[in-house]
Coordinates of all heavy atoms in Angstrom, one line a residue:
K233 N 0.0 7.0 -4.3 CA -0.5 6.8 -3.0 C 0.0 7.9 -2.0 O -0.4 7.9 -0.9 CB 0.0 5.4 -2.4 CG -0.5 4.2 -3.3 CD -2.0 4.0 -3.2 CE -2.5 2.9 -4.1 NZ -2.2 1.5 -3.6
F234 N 0.8 8.8 -2.6 CA 1.2 10.0 -1.7 C 1.1 11.3 -2.6 O 2.0 12.2 -2.5 CB 2.6 9.8 -1.1 CG 3.7 9.4 -2.1 CD1 4.3 10.3 -3.0 CD2 4.2 8.1 -2.0 CE1 5.3 9.9 -3.8 CE2 5.3 7.7 -2.9 CZ 5.8 8.6 -3.8
R235 N 0.1 11.4 -3.4 CA -0.3 12.6 -4.1 C 0.6 12.9 -5.3 O 0.7 14.0 -5.7 CB -0.4 13.8 -3.2 CG -1.4 13.5 -2.0 CD -1.8 14.7 -1.3 NE -2.6 15.5 -2.2 CZ -3.0 16.8 -1.9 NH1 -2.6 17.4 -0.8 NH2 -3.7 17.5 -2.8
G236 N 1.3 11.8 -5.8 CA 2.0 11.9 -7.1 C 1.1 11.4 -8.2 O -0.1 11.0 -7.9
P237 N 1.6 11.3 -9.4 CA 0.8 10.8 -10.5 C 0.6 9.3 -10.5 O 1.5 8.5 -10.0 CB 1.6 11.2 -11.7 CG 3.0 11.4 -11.3 CD 3.0 11.7 -9.8
R238 N -0.5 8.8 -11.0 CA -0.8 7.4 -11.1 C 0.1 6.8 -12.3 O 0.5 7.6 -13.2 CB -2.2 7.1 -11.4 CG -3.1 7.1 -10.1 CD -4.6 7.2 -10.4 NE -4.9 8.6 -10.9 CZ -5.0 9.6 -10.1 NH1 -4.8 9.5 -8.8 NH2 -5.3 10.8 -10.6
G239 N 0.5 5.5 -12.2 CA 1.3 5.0 -13.2 C 2.8 5.2 -13.0 O 3.6 5.1 -14.0
T240 N 3.2 5.6 -11.8 CA 4.6 5.8 -11.5 C 5.0 5.1 -10.2 O 4.2 5.0 -9.3 CB 5.0 7.3 -11.3 OG1 4.3 7.8 -10.2 CG2 4.5 8.2 -12.5
G241 N 6.2 4.6 -10.2 CA 6.6 3.9 -9.0 C 8.1 3.7 -9.0 O 8.8 4.2 -9.9
V242 N 8.6 3.2 -7.9 CA 10.0 3.0 -7.7 C 10.3 1.6 -7.1 O 9.5 1.2 -6.2 CB 10.6 4.1 -6.8 CG1 12.0 3.7 -6.3 CG2 10.7 5.4 -7.6
L243 N 11.3 1.0 -7.5 CA 11.9 -0.1 -6.7 C 13.3 0.3 -6.2 O 14.1 0.6 -7.0 CB 12.0 -1.4 -7.5 CG 12.5 -2.6 -6.6 CD1 11.6 -3.0 -5.5 CD2 12.9 -3.8 -7.5
Y244 N 13.4 0.4 -4.9 CA 14.7 0.6 -4.3 C 15.4 -0.7 -4.3 O 14.9 -1.7 -3.8 CB 14.6 1.2 -2.9 CG 15.9 1.0 -2.1 CD1 17.0 1.8 -2.3 CD2 16.0 -0.1 -1.2 CE1 18.2 1.6 -1.6 CE2 17.1 -0.3 -0.4 CZ 18.2 0.5 -0.6 OH 19.4 0.3 0.1
V245 N 16.6 -0.8 -4.9 CA 17.4 -2.0 -4.9 C 18.8 -1.7 -4.3 O 19.5 -0.9 -4.8 CB 17.6 -2.5 -6.3 CG1 18.3 -3.9 -6.3 CG2 16.3 -2.6 -7.1
K246 N 19.1 -2.3 -3.2 CA 20.3 -2.1 -2.5 C 21.5 -2.5 -3.4 O 21.4 -3.5 -4.1 CB 20.4 -2.9 -1.2 CG 21.5 -2.5 -0.3 CD 21.5 -3.3 1.0 CE 22.7 -2.9 1.8 NZ 22.6 -3.4 3.2
K247 N 22.5 -1.6 -3.4 CA 23.7 -1.9 -4.1 C 24.2 -3.3 -3.9 O 24.2 -3.8 -2.8 CB 24.8 -0.9 -3.6 CG 26.0 -0.7 -4.5 CD 26.8 0.4 -3.9 CE 28.2 0.4 -4.6 NZ 29.1 1.5 -4.0
G248 N 24.6 -4.0 -5.0 CA 25.1 -5.3 -4.9 C 24.1 -6.4 -5.3 O 24.4 -7.6 -5.5
I249 N 22.8 -6.0 -5.3 CA 21.8 -7.0 -5.7 C 21.5 -6.9 -7.2 O 21.3 -5.8 -7.8 CB 20.5 -6.8 -4.9 CG1 20.7 -7.0 -3.5 CG2 19.3 -7.6 -5.5 CD1 19.5 -6.7 -2.6
T250 N 21.6 -8.1 -7.9 CA 21.4 -8.1 -9.3 C 20.0 -8.8 -9.7 O 19.8 -9.9 -9.2 CB 22.5 -8.8 -10.1 OG1 23.7 -8.2 -9.6 CG2 22.4 -8.7 -11.6
L251 N 19.2 -8.1 -10.4 CA 17.9 -8.7 -10.8 C 17.8 -9.1 -12.2 O 18.5 -8.5 -13.1 CB 16.8 -7.6 -10.5 CG 16.8 -7.0 -9.1 CD1 15.7 -5.9 -9.0 CD2 16.5 -8.1 -8.0
E252 N 16.9 -10.0 -12.5 CA 16.5 -10.2 -13.9 C 15.6 -9.1 -14.3 O 14.7 -8.7 -13.6 CB 15.8 -11.6 -14.0 CG 15.4 -11.9 -15.5 CD 14.4 -13.1 -15.6 OE1 13.2 -12.9 -15.3 OE2 14.9 -14.1 -16.0
P253 N 15.7 -8.6 -15.6 CA 14.9 -7.5 -16.0 C 13.4 -7.8 -16.0 O 13.0 -8.9 -16.2 CB 15.3 -7.2 -17.4 CG 16.7 -7.7 -17.5 CD 16.8 -8.9 -16.6
L254 N 12.6 -6.7 -15.8 CA 11.1 -6.8 -15.9 C 10.7 -6.7 -17.4 O 9.8 -7.4 -17.9 CB 10.5 -5.7 -15.1 CG 9.0 -5.7 -15.0 CD1 8.4 -6.9 -14.2 CD2 8.5 -4.4 -14.4
V255 N 11.3 -5.7 -18.1 CA 11.0 -5.5 -19.5 C 12.4 -5.4 -20.2 O 13.2 -4.6 -19.9 CB 10.3 -4.1 -19.7 CG1 9.9 -3.9 -21.1 CG2 9.0 -4.1 -18.8
Y256 N 12.5 -6.2 -21.3 CA 13.7 -6.1 -22.2 C 13.5 -5.1 -23.3 O 12.4 -4.9 -23.7 CB 14.0 -7.5 -22.8 CG 14.4 -8.5 -21.8 CD1 13.4 -9.4 -21.2 CD2 15.7 -8.7 -21.4 CE1 13.8 -10.3 -20.2 CE2 16.1 -9.6 -20.5 CZ 15.1 -10.5 -19.9 OH 15.5 -11.4 -19.0
G257 N 14.6 -4.5 -23.7 CA 14.5 -3.5 -24.7 C 15.7 -2.6 -24.8 O 16.9 -3.1 -24.7
G258 N 15.5 -1.3 -24.8 CA 16.5 -0.3 -24.9 C 17.5 -0.1 -23.8 O 18.4 0.6 -23.9
G259 N 17.2 -0.8 -22.7 CA 18.2 -0.8 -21.6 C 18.0 0.3 -20.6 O 18.9 0.5 -19.7
Q260 N 16.9 1.0 -20.6 CA 16.7 2.1 -19.6 C 16.6 1.5 -18.2 O 16.3 0.3 -18.0 CB 15.4 2.9 -19.9 CG 15.5 3.8 -21.2 CD 15.1 3.0 -22.4 OE1 15.0 1.8 -22.5 NE2 14.9 3.8 -23.5
E261 N 16.7 2.3 -17.2 CA 16.7 1.9 -15.8 C 17.6 0.7 -15.5 O 17.1 -0.3 -15.0 CB 15.2 1.7 -15.3 CG 14.3 2.9 -15.4 CD 14.8 4.1 -14.6 OE1 15.1 3.9 -13.4 OE2 15.0 5.1 -15.1
R262 N 18.8 0.9 -15.8 CA 19.8 -0.2 -15.5 C 19.5 -1.4 -16.3 O 19.9 -2.5 -15.9 CB 19.9 -0.5 -14.1 CG 21.0 0.1 -13.3 CD 21.4 -0.8 -12.2 NE 20.5 -0.8 -11.1 CZ 20.5 -1.7 -10.1 NH1 21.5 -2.6 -10.0 NH2 19.6 -1.6 -9.1
G263 N 18.7 -1.3 -17.4 CA 18.3 -2.5 -18.1 C 17.2 -3.3 -17.5 O 16.8 -4.3 -18.0
L264 N 16.7 -2.8 -16.4 CA 15.7 -3.6 -15.6 C 14.2 -3.3 -16.2 O 13.4 -4.2 -16.2 CB 15.7 -3.3 -14.1 CG 17.0 -3.7 -13.5 CD1 17.1 -3.3 -12.0 CD2 17.2 -5.2 -13.6

Side-chain angles (χ1 to χ4, degrees):
K233 301 291 175 76
F234 50 74
R235 308 196 64 191
R238 279 164 290 283
T240 64
V242 162
L243 182 66
Y244 160 78
V245 187
K246 190 176 176 167
K247 198 172 162 180
I249 294 177
T250 308
L251 305 176
E252 181 192 74
L254 180 70
V255 181
Y256 292 93
Q260 289 89 346
E261 297 304 305
R262 261 212 286 169
L264 296 175

